[in-house]
Amino acid sequence: MAGLSLEHIGKTYPNGFEGVKDFNLEIEDKEFIIFVGPSGCGKSTTLRMIAGLEDITSGTLKIDGRVVNDVEPADRDIAMVFQTYALYPHMTVYDNMAFPLKLRKVPQADIDKAVHEAARILDLEKLLDRKPSALSGGQRQRVAMGRAIVRRPKVYLMDEPLSNLDAKLRVQMRAEISKLHDRLGATIIYVTHDQTEAMTLGTRIVVMKDGVMQQVDTPSKLYSEPCNLFVAGFIGSPQMNFIDATVVEKDGAVALAFGSNAVTLPDAKAAALKPYVGKVVVMGIRPEDVVEEHEYAEGKALSEQIDATVTVYELLGSEAMIYGDVDGGQVSAHISATNPVRTGSRIKVAFDVDKLHVFDKDTELAIVH
Ligand code: ADP
């Protein structure tokens, strides 16, 4: 297994379009790195440059300390798993998995050992004699993974490997891939546009937008301390609430005013907002940090009450989401399914001010978390 180093990596396509700009990342051995972002943000281009399927326009790529910018894909000791897992239909599961080793003229005994080992890891031992047509979608995807595993490459590159599967299977395979990472002790780089997949799989996540890396962090850090408005809005579902507010001084404290409402900041956040007094900022609060009156709890640093009218009620099971209008904006909140609030209810909510985020409206960068 191996670490990777991407130093100032850039990609300009022949038509002059810059797909990836100044990408810098050190990936350690055994990390599970996710590239996530909306379609067209440069995730696949970056992955394909690492694979050697796309030329690197600028910068240096190292695998295990060796510069590989000009090394052929076959000599980079990586394996790629794509969303279309093209298995050979006329070959058995065994032969599909053995194929990459046969191509490399690996001795038969070693092939046999590698295939059985991969089949054991992927729970495919009972299916080795079957043809792909007699397998479910998830089983086929596991065979495609097996074909990558048999080579025991230094790095696995996965490009949306689950996006062709139905929702239930995706969740199952997500857990499989997570287990696989533990068992292989492998370095994995995984591309997805799905923030849930990113949050559940990654040891670190790279969020990209328009070819530019926005933030690299652990899932929990990314969620609790997004560096800018884009990351804050992209990570987390349902999305973080954003409300434009004016920074005001109120009874010696600093508050965020919107409509007829004002939310006083705790001292820890107030200092960073002092220079913004009189200016408009963007206040961010996640739906689970908007607390409805029935659910006020001890121990939470709740803001002043805010009147709201519920416009949408969505029951999710044990929980529900409500969307409401407040003076000066809109908020969504998680509530318990036992909460009597429904569409049309006039309610009071309060924000957990310890969880409040504030962003600069011009630069969109976080001022305080
Ligand atoms: P993602 O994987 O994040 O969806 P890609 O890495 O595939 O995005 O593409 C990044 C950007 O580069 C997109 O805007 C895409 O249109 C552009 N792009 C991809 N391939 C080419 C190409 N061969 N020529 C010009 N532009 C390209």
Side-chain angles (χ1 to χ4, degrees):
M1 289 303 136
L4 287 92
S5 164
L6 290 88
E7 296 162 11
H8 303 291
I9 297 283
K11 173 71 190 182
T12 306
Y13 281 107
N15 66 358
F17 183 80
E18 260 186 287
V20 177
K21 300 168 195 166
D22 196 28
F23 190 103
N24 289 286
L25 184 66
E26 291 291 324
I27 301 175
E28 294 194 8
D29 189 23
K30 299 190 179 59
E31 271 204 279
F32 198 142
I33 293 282
I34 309 274
F35 294 167
V36 71
S39 184
C41 71
K43 309 179 290 289
S44 298
T45 302
T46 310
L47 198 75
R48 290 168 59 81
M49 284 193 284
I50 297 173
L53 301 174
E54 202 73 73
D55 288 337
I56 298 173
T57 312
S58 54
T60 307
L61 171 67
K62 293 179 191 159
I63 299 180
D64 230 2
R66 177 172 77 127
V67 176
V68 293
N69 286 47
D70 298 320
V71 174
E72 288 297 314
D75 300 326
R76 291 191 185 191
D77 205 2
I78 48 167
M80 244 185 126
V81 182
F82 295 98
Q83 81 185 70
T84 42
Y85 36 85
L87 302 177
Y88 299 104
H90 59 286
M91 287 188 197
T92 61
V93 167
Y94 183 101
D95 289 334
N96 263 290
M97 282 166 49
F99 193 69
L101 299 182
K102 279 195 180 140
L103 277 185
R104 286 180 164 70
K105 309 220 178 335
V106 173
Q108 182 55 39
D110 294 343
I111 293 180
D112 199 53
K113 197 164 161 246
V115 170
H116 278 102
E117 171 67 8
R120 188 184 59 73
I121 291 174
L122 291 161
D123 205 11
L124 289 169
E125 285 159 300
K126 294 201 178 77
L127 305 174
L128 287 173
D129 295 333
R130 293 219 195 148
K131 297 267 174 68
S133 57
L135 299 176
S136 70
Q139 288 166 339
R140 280 182 215 163
Q141 184 57 280
R142 291 217 294 273
V143 178
M145 294 268 176
R147 211 164 43 180
I149 289 174
V150 287
R151 289 175 34 210
R152 289 297 174 135
K154 283 192 174 138
V155 183
Y156 292 86
L157 305 178
M158 304 190 182
D159 195 351
E160 307 247 6
L162 306 185
S163 56
N164 281 350
L165 306 179
D166 66 45
K168 194 170 160 208
L169 206 52
R170 280 176 82 126
V171 175
Q172 248 174 35
M173 279 303 294
R174 212 161 67 199
E176 296 287 337
I177 290 178
S178 209
K179 272 193 267 175
L180 193 65
H181 176 242
D182 292 343
R183 284 187 208 162
L184 291 174
T187 308
I188 300 180
I189 307 176
Y190 187 108
V191 163
T192 180
H193 63 272
D194 178 342
Q195 63 94 24
T196 313
E197 222 166 270
M199 293 292 279
T200 49
L201 284 173
T203 50
R204 279 196 303 160
I205 301 173
V206 179
V207 183
M208 296 181 70
K209 181 192 168 206
D210 299 337
V212 179
M213 176 196 272
Q214 305 288 304
Q215 186 169 1
V216 188
D217 246 315
T218 59
S220 66
K221 228 11 203 327
L222 216 50
Y223 191 77
S224 59
E225 295 176 27
C227 72
N228 62 24
L229 268 178
F230 174 78
V231 176
F234 190 78
I235 300 289
S237 172
Q239 229 200 346
M240 183 184 283
N241 293 291
F242 295 122
I243 300 173
D244 281 358
T246 307
V247 183
V248 294
E249 295 214 84
K250 189 183 156 202
D251 310 328
V254 176
L256 300 178
F258 55 102
S260 54
N261 300 295
V263 168
T264 303
L265 295 175
D267 290 346
K269 295 191 203 268
L273 266 302
K274 275 264 164 74
Y276 285 85
V277 170
K279 294 196 176 129
V280 175
V281 293
V282 182
M283 174 169 64
I285 185 94
R286 294 203 183 275
E288 64 269 30
D289 301 322
V290 177
V291 189
E292 199 275 329
E293 192 178 15
H294 289 88
E295 304 185 8
Y296 285 174
E298 293 283 320
K300 276 195 176 167
L302 292 183
S303 69
E304 295 85 341
Q305 290 199 333
I306 299 157
D307 290 316
T309 306
V310 179
T311 51
V312 177
Y313 174 89
E314 288 175 350
L315 181 63
L316 304 172
S318 63
E319 284 196 327
M321 276 296 295
I322 50 171
Y323 298 83
D325 290 333
V326 300
D327 190 13
Q330 289 180 317
V331 288
S332 60
H334 269 297
I335 58 171
S336 157
T338 56
N339 190 317
V341 165
R342 292 292 181 274
T343 303
S345 298
R346 298 179 66 83
I347 59 169
K348 291 185 191 307
V349 296
F351 297 166
D352 181 345
V353 288
D354 284 341
K355 303 283 178 62
L356 200 75
H357 304 254
V358 187
F359 302 90
D360 185 303
K361 195 162 167 60
D362 298 324
T363 65
E364 302 196 347
L365 295 175
I367 301 167
V368 75
H369 300 293

